[in-house]
């Protein structure tokens, strides 16, 4: 076998290797996000809603007050957008806290579109 034959064999191996490297991987889809919303009622004190927003959603007093007013005026407000597990946990925490304090405050979640 001549040196040129070895060179040709090497080149064809390199070409096959390049083909393997250029294959694309399938893209993974991002998990869906969920909106967490507070609903207005005629019994839960506004101060309690502000406390919930500060405590469970990490809002400062001014932000919490603004969202509470939105809930009061419009009937509901989105208070955050999270992964399914986090949204579910926040809804459960808010509902449990409201029940323990004997308030009918409602917190729900729905898939973001």
């Amino acid at each position: 076998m001549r040196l040129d034959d070895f060179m040709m064999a090497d080149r064809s191996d390199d070409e096959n290797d390049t083909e393997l490297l250029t294959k694309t991987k399938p893209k993974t889809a991002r998990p869906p996000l969920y909106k967490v919303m507070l609903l207005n009622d005629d019994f839960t004190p506004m101060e309690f809603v502000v406390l919930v927003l500060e405590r469970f959603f990490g809002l400062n007093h001014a932000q919490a007050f603004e969202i509470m007013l939105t809930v009061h005026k419009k009937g509901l407000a989105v208070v955050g957008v999270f992964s399914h597990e986090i949204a579910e946990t926040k809804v459960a925490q808010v509902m449990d806290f409201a029940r323990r304090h004997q308030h009918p405050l409602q917190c729900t979640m729905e898939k973001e579109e």
Side-chain angles (χ1 to χ4, degrees):
M1 197 174 212
R2 298 183 333 214
L3 182 59
D4 288 339
D5 292 338
F6 283 115
M7 297 295 283
M8 292 300 277
D10 256 2
R11 260 189 229 127
S12 66
D13 285 347
D14 287 344
E15 287 170 12
N16 289 340
D17 289 346
T18 305
E19 285 178 29
L20 291 176
L21 292 175
T22 58
K23 289 184 181 178
T24 57
K25 293 180 181 177
K27 291 185 180 180
T28 54
R30 289 187 176 196
L33 295 175
Y34 291 79
K35 299 183 284 190
V36 174
M37 297 168 289
L38 285 182
L39 307 177
N40 189 43
D41 64 71
D42 294 332
F43 303 102
T44 304
M46 292 180 177
E47 298 81 21
F48 184 79
V49 176
V50 170
L51 173 64
V52 164
L53 291 167
E54 292 170 345
R55 183 177 211 164
F56 297 105
F57 297 94
L59 301 175
N60 66 38
H61 189 75
Q63 293 168 322
F65 191 82
E66 282 297 314
I67 291 176
M68 176 275 298
L69 284 178
T70 302
V71 171
H72 181 68
K73 291 176 183 175
K74 295 188 176 181
L76 68 91
V78 174
V79 295
V81 179
F82 308 96
S83 69
H84 185 269
E85 294 78 15
I86 293 173
E88 200 171 52
T89 299
K90 292 209 179 274
V91 168
Q93 288 174 329
V94 170
M95 295 295 290
D96 180 58
F97 189 69
R99 296 303 157 264
R100 282 190 284 126
H101 289 86
Q102 300 178 343
H103 295 300
L105 181 65
Q106 294 291 306
C107 185
T108 63
M109 63 186 262
E110 72 179 39
K111 195 172 187 178
E112 188 177 53
E113 296 178 24

